[in-house]
Every structure is written in C-alpha cells, then in structure tokens.
Amino acid sequence: MSKTETGSHAPGALSPTSKRPAGTLYRGNEGMWSWVLHRITGIAIFFFLLVHILDTALIRVSPEAYNAVMSSYKNPIMGLGETALVGAIAFHAFNGLRIILVDFWTKGPKYQKVMFYVVIGLWVVTMLGFAPRHLINVFSEVGN
Amino acid sequence: MSSTTDTLGLASPRSPRSTPTGGVNWEKWGWIYMRASGVILVVLIFGHLFVNLMLGDGIKGIDFAFVGGKYAAPFWQIWDTAMLWLALIHGANGMRTLVNDYATHVVTQRVLKGALLFSVITLLTLGTLVIYTFDPCPAGAPANLLASFCPVV
Ligand code: HEM
Ligand code: HEM
C-alpha cells in the first residue's frame, strides 16, 4: 500500500514513515473487515441456533405448539430477519472457505484479497437467488 | 528475573516452546476441527436452507406435517444429527475463542465457558432425542395437522 509517507505516525504503526499501520494479512483493509464480519456473523448464527434447537424441540410437545411457533416465523418482519440470517450464513460460509484456502493453499495468502471480492461476488449472487424467492413467499398470502 | 521471560512476562524469542511435552495439543485439534466441520457444514446448511426455504412453498410450507414427512426418512434424521453436532460444537468452540479474546478476568472466563459447555451438552442431548423419539402421528391429534401417511382413526 504505497500511501503518502509523512513524518508523524499513528500508534501501532509498523513503519515510522507511514501514517497508516502497514497492511498485513489480517490487519487493515480487506483482511481485517472480513475478520470483523466473520466474527459478527458467527456470533449471530450461534445464538440463532440455540433458539432454533428449542423451537424444533416443540415437535415433541404437540402439533399445535409447533405450528403456533412456526406461524410466527411466517410474518413479514420475521421474513426480513430470516433474510438477514441467510445473508449472515452465506457470508460466514463463503468467507470460512476463504480462510481455509488462505491456511492450506500455498497461493492462498497471495490471493486473499482477490478471494475476498470473490466471496462478496458469490454472496451477491446467492442473495439475488434467495431473497426474491423468500420475500415473495413471506409477503404473499399463499399458505397463510 | 527468570532467563526465559522479561519483566512483562513475555517469552523471549529464544525460549523453548512452552507446549507441555507429551500431552495432546487440544488447541491444534480445535483449529483443525473448525476447518473440517466448516467444509461439511457448507453442504449440510445450504442443503437444509434450500429444502426448507426454496422448494415448495418455502417457509410457508413448514409445519408439523412437513417435519413429520422429513423425519420419516432416515436420510434427513442423519442429516440433521450431523448438522446439529457439527454446527453446535463449531459455534461453541468459536464462542470460546471470543471469550478468550474479550473476557479479561479468569473468573469471568470460567463462568462464560461453563455456560457454553452447559448449553452445548443440554442442546445436543435435547436435539438428538427430539430427532429419534419424534412421533409423526401422535394419538389423538387432529388428522389435518399430520402427515398424509398417518393412519386415520
Ligand atoms: C457454513 C459453514 C461454515 C464454515 C465454512 C465456517 C468456517 C469457519 C472458520 C474457518 C472459522 C475460523 C476458525 C479459526 O479462526 O480458527 C470459523 C469461526 C467461527 N464460526 Fe464458523 N463456519 C461455518 C458455520 C458456522 C456456524 C453454523 C456457526 C454458529 C453456530 C459458526 C460460528 C462461528 C464462530 C462463533 C466462529 C469464531 C469467530 C472468530 O473467532 O472470530 N460458524 N468458522
Ligand atoms: C430461517 C431459516 C431456517 C428454517 C426455516 C429452518 C427450519 C427447520 C425445520 C423445519 C427443522 C425441522 C427438521 C427439518 O426440516 O430438517 C429444522 C431443524 C434443524 N435446523 Fe433449521 N432452519 C433454518 C435455519 C437453520 C440454520 C441456519 C441452521 C444451522 C446453523 C439450522 C440447523 C438446524 C438443526 C441442527 C436442526 C435439527 C434440530 C434438532 O435436532 O431438533 N437451521 N430447521
């Protein structure tokens, strides 16, 4: 990253001549943002899963109890939430594969930035396929 | 001052590796587990979401009878069991990393990790039991709420 070199330097700077901390694999730029997003999505999915195992357990209680809770998943507000959840999973999954490639593929570290944009691209394609289908289901009256 | 650490307690570059010799390197296996489970989870979770949200009426089609139909096939029972165990342990081990990173006190760390362990054991037991003890045709339930293969009484 050949940014303008000036005398003063930010705390944590690796080079006293650079204003910004030098970009490493995981600090600054794409490397860091992918990590931040990976962390946040991982936490969100974890807490969803805790609740999800409990709501599925209602099939052992009664058909009425399970259907009552599932019907709350079908309203438009929850539908938006599910779209966000799938968005989080899709990012975490694609970026997880990117992390694995960085770790195991010899050229991984070299292409980590390119792969970040591939992750974003795959995410956009996935969401273009998923979101319209799901939102039409949720906002239409079918099956209500 | 000991010869291997400085005043900050940081190991100096020349000091020998501090991994206890002979023991299992759990952190390494955790690291490998995160990657191995991740690869399998991509298939399991994407498959789960595709079948439940994209096919048929999507989320509007999910009810007791839908689950009854799925769990009538051992295929989906095994699928969900694998997904349950892999995802929950992967997620909890990831959360353990976060506790290590952000909880500064030993006591806080212990409490949080204890809570994680407790929830994982409880939910793995519950989720597994649910998959294998589920009765798709409970006696006395209204037939219109059940899968079509249930005997009409
Ligand atoms: C869809 C497939 C998935 C893949 C490919 C994947 C991949 C990964 C990878 C490679 C890591 C990094 C581990 C490390 O740095 O040592 C990770 C971390 C994590 N994952 Fe996943 N994962 C997946 C699904 C999930 C699920 C379902 C959950 C929640 C239940 C989850 C929660 C987490 C958490 C909380 C972390 C820790 C984040 C951090 O340390 O910053 N992941 N995942
Ligand atoms: C909005 C999105 C989702 C919907 C509508 C949904 C729906 C369902 C349904 C209907 C079942 C019952 C059995 C079956 O169909 O296989 C189920 C079970 C299950 N789902 Fe999901 N799911 C969603 C997202 C997820 C995600 C993201 C994960 C993983 C992190 C997940 C993990 C599981 C597991 C482990 C089970 C088995 C639970 C048990 O053992 O009792 N689901 N889900």
Side-chain angles (χ1 to χ4, degrees), chain A residues 39 60 74 103 133 140, chain B residues 35 54 56 60 62 101 133:
Chain A
R39 217 163 231 202
R60 285 295 283 114
K74 299 171 188 176
D103 289 335
R133 174 89 179 91
S140 71
Chain B
R35 280 143 187 84
M54 296 290 282
K60 291 268 171 89
I62 298 179
D101 282 359
T133 65

Side-chain angles (χ1 to χ4, degrees), chain B residues 4 14 20 25-27 36 38 44 58 79 88 92 97-98 101 109 122 130 140-141 144 146:
Chain B
T4 53
R14 297 271 175 100
N25 188 346
W26 290 106
E27 284 303 329
L44 293 178
W79 186 290
L88 200 55
T97 307
L98 274 117
D101 282 359
Q109 288 205 357
T122 314
V130 163
N144 64 325
L146 305 181

Side-chain angles (χ1 to χ4, degrees), chain A residues 78-101:
Chain A
M78 290 299 271
L80 293 174
E82 288 138 24
T83 312
L85 174 76
V86 172
I89 307 250
F91 178 83
H92 191 95
F94 292 140
N95 191 59
L97 295 176
R98 170 180 162 276
I99 296 176
I100 295 168
L101 285 171

Side-chain angles (χ1 to χ4, degrees), chain A residues 45-46 48-49 52-57 59 66 70 73 82-83 85-86 89 130 134, chain B residues 41 45 48-49 51-53 59 62-63 66-67 70-71 76 79-85 87 123-124 126-131:
Chain A
I45 303 163
F46 179 75
F48 165 79
L49 185 58
H52 186 48
I53 296 170
L54 294 174
D55 65 51
T56 304
I59 59 175
Y66 184 74
M70 278 318 291
Y73 278 91
E82 288 138 24
T83 312
L85 174 76
V86 172
I89 307 250
F130 172 75
H134 186 63
Chain B
L41 280 170
I45 295 180
H48 183 66
L49 294 173
V51 170
N52 288 3
L53 295 178
I59 187 126
I62 298 179
D63 55 14
F66 172 88
V67 183
K70 267 186 102 173
Y71 283 165
W76 289 117
W79 186 290
D80 278 16
T81 311
M83 189 166 60
L84 172 73
W85 284 72
L123 290 174
L124 283 180
L126 175 70
T128 310
L129 281 175
V130 163
I131 296 175

